[in-house]
Amino acid sequence: MPTTLRQAARRTTAVALSGALGAGLLTAAALTTAPAAQAATTCGGTASIYGILPDGRLTFSTITPATGQLKKVLTGADLGFEPRAMATLNFNTVLVTSTSGALYRVDVLTNNTSLTLERPPVKIFDSGWTHDKLTYDGHGHLYGTAGGLLLQYLVSQPKPTGAAHIGQRKEMGSGFVLKTLTAAADDRLLATTSAGALLSYKVNADGTWNRDDLKPSGWSGFDQVVSPGGGLYYGRIETTGAMYWYKDANPADGSGADIAYHNDTPVNTGGWTQKLLSAQPETFACTTTTPPLDGTDIPAVKAVGRDLMNAYDGGSWNSSTQWNCLEQLWDKESGWRYWADNPGSSAYGIPQALPGSKMDAFGDDWRTNPVTQIRWGLSYIDGQYDTPCGAWTHFVNHNWY
């Protein structure tokens, strides 16, 4: 997949999503009355997706969860065999079945500019892996379907080498004739059918399972659906190569009524030509905080903001220079007030997201929880400007970011 997937149109759209207005446009009234905050769920993390092109080459893509913006696409070497199904175990390890029924471990080396194989694919099993779909839940369980049968395996090592590390095969049930299958959480699967239904399965410790029908129709266009966790779903349309994203406010409630559709800001309107896609599991997560942070205590909000910034992207922003840029940026935009509401637009909150509802990707409490807003804002800055200082420099030059 070429790097041209980061289209100029997507950058234009992403710019429109920011609070691209100076703090001077905020009225005193907009800054004095804060809606009451309540404990709720907030989310954060990253989205990384491996893929295999029709010519057998491996790809690695990252997507900014805050906006759905495609951040990076890397293309690597040909795997050397005809793949059939794949599952990502971790950042550097992917399992792939072949059309001949073999199971391979693919060891990956990747950074911001390159995607290479650490070694040729390692054949773990010569035969028996005739699965048409494969997915890993990030908690030790590998799932697959073969001939309508759902199978579960225990993976005990980050780089399994054989039966000692991939075993305890369980037949979970029959009738699993699915169009797509992905792990959405610990022992929780998300699937679609050829008729367009969106289904959720919860696998219990005793081997039983429960199914929830999230949507009866509307998902038939997707031939690939993947999830990095936290109720974040990505779907690829085979006919156009477009990628769309969705956020389930509560993926464990058995209902699809709270799934937010972001069809107005797709990841891409084309270009996703991989025959297989697999998200790294459990990289995006949601937590419930209680009691909530007192969002009217601005020094306390800033302290949390600095902690979140310092931990972002593995600590790569952990410096007084980056904090100085972020503090000044949101001082100008909102004064770090979670209730800052721009009267000239629908920009809202600490990062002045435009519209504020875009922050629902990071929590249903985006109106009142400064932590949710900060997490969203950091993800937005990462996807659009790489660092807080990149965003601050843009603000200084243009009076928006």
Side-chain angles (χ1 to χ4, degrees):
M1 186 164 59
T3 56
T4 52
L5 281 178
R6 186 196 284 265
Q7 301 166 346
R10 288 297 299 123
R11 176 167 287 274
T12 301
T13 301
V15 168
L17 295 176
S18 76
L21 295 165
L25 295 180
L26 299 175
T27 65
L31 297 177
T32 54
T33 304
Q38 297 179 352
T41 299
T42 62
C43 307
T46 60
S48 301
I49 300 175
Y50 281 102
I52 301 176
L53 292 168
D55 62 7
R57 289 180 298 161
L58 191 70
T59 67
F60 177 75
S61 308
T62 58
I63 298 172
T64 305
T67 61
Q69 181 187 11
L70 182 66
K71 183 181 179 183
K72 176 174 61 180
V73 181
L74 301 173
T75 301
D78 187 342
L79 295 182
F81 61 89
E82 183 70 23
R84 187 175 186 189
M86 70 183 301
T88 303
L89 294 188
N90 50 65
F91 185 69
N92 299 113
T93 313
V94 181
L95 296 179
V96 185
T97 63
S98 72
T99 53
S100 64
L103 178 66
Y104 290 86
R105 190 190 78 227
V106 180
D107 298 328
V108 183
L109 295 175
T110 185
N111 53 37
N112 285 331
T113 60
S114 67
L115 174 66
T116 61
L117 300 183
E118 185 177 0
R119 59 182 59 86
V122 178
K123 185 183 288 188
I124 302 177
F125 296 99
D126 291 321
S127 61
W129 287 77
T130 57
H131 306 66
D132 48 40
K133 294 169 187 66
L134 209 62
T135 188
Y136 181 63
D137 71 353
H139 294 269
H141 281 149
L142 178 70
Y143 290 93
T145 55
L149 186 68
L150 179 66
L151 301 164
Q152 181 196 69
Y153 303 86
L154 178 65
V155 180
S156 60
Q157 294 293 326
K159 289 191 178 295
T161 61
H165 300 153
I166 301 181
Q168 297 188 20
R169 179 182 184 273
K170 288 183 181 180
E171 296 185 1
M172 310 302 296
S174 59
F176 286 83
V177 182
L178 305 171
K179 188 172 183 180
T180 70
L181 179 70
T182 187
D186 184 6
D187 286 330
R188 187 173 293 276
L189 304 174
L190 189 76
T192 63
T193 67
S194 58
L198 179 67
L199 310 175
S200 175
Y201 295 92
K202 179 66 176 76
V203 180
N204 305 310
D206 61 1
T208 61
W209 49 268
N210 304 101
R211 190 185 92 179
D212 293 308
D213 296 354
L214 303 183
K215 295 288 183 179
S217 61
W219 290 69
S220 60
F222 299 118
D223 71 326
Q224 300 283 331
V225 175
V226 298
S227 174
L232 196 59
Y233 311 143
Y234 296 97
R236 193 273 299 273
I237 297 180
E238 182 179 18
T239 55
T240 63
M243 179 75 84
Y244 290 87
W245 65 291
Y246 307 87
K247 180 62 176 65
D248 192 338
N250 185 355
D253 64 0
S255 170
D258 54 354
I259 297 178
Y261 284 59
H262 293 274
N263 293 337
D264 57 333
T265 56
V267 178
N268 283 102
T269 57
W272 287 81
T273 59
Q274 294 94 329
K275 61 187 298 184
L276 296 173
L277 292 171
S278 173
Q280 183 182 352
E282 294 291 272
T283 59
F284 190 82
C286 301
T287 58
T288 299
T289 56
T290 182
L293 170 71
D294 180 4
T296 63
D297 185 347
I298 302 303
V301 171
K302 286 188 175 184
V304 170
R306 180 158 192 176
D307 287 342
L308 292 173
M309 188 209 74
N310 287 347
Y312 194 86
D313 195 22
S316 63
W317 294 356
N318 188 357
S319 73
S320 57
T321 299
Q322 293 298 331
W323 169 245
N324 185 53
C325 291
L326 184 67
E327 183 178 29
Q328 291 183 89
L329 177 66
W330 288 346
D331 275 345
K332 292 289 187 181
E333 284 287 346
S334 63
W336 289 79
R337 296 171 173 87
Y338 70 79
W339 64 96
D341 193 356
N342 195 304
S345 71
S346 55
Y348 186 83
I350 293 170
Q352 286 291 278
L354 178 61
S357 60
K358 292 294 181 183
M359 292 186 288
D360 68 357
F362 275 59
D364 56 1
D365 58 349
W366 59 268
R367 294 176 184 83
T368 59
N369 193 332
V371 176
T372 297
Q373 295 182 2
I374 291 168
R375 290 186 188 277
W376 184 93
L378 294 176
S379 180
Y380 171 78
I381 288 171
D382 181 29
Q384 187 68 19
Y385 300 104
D386 294 329
T387 65
C389 285
W392 173 240
T393 297
H394 191 280
F395 182 92
V396 169
N397 292 332
H398 302 281
N399 204 35
W400 59 267
Y401 82 110

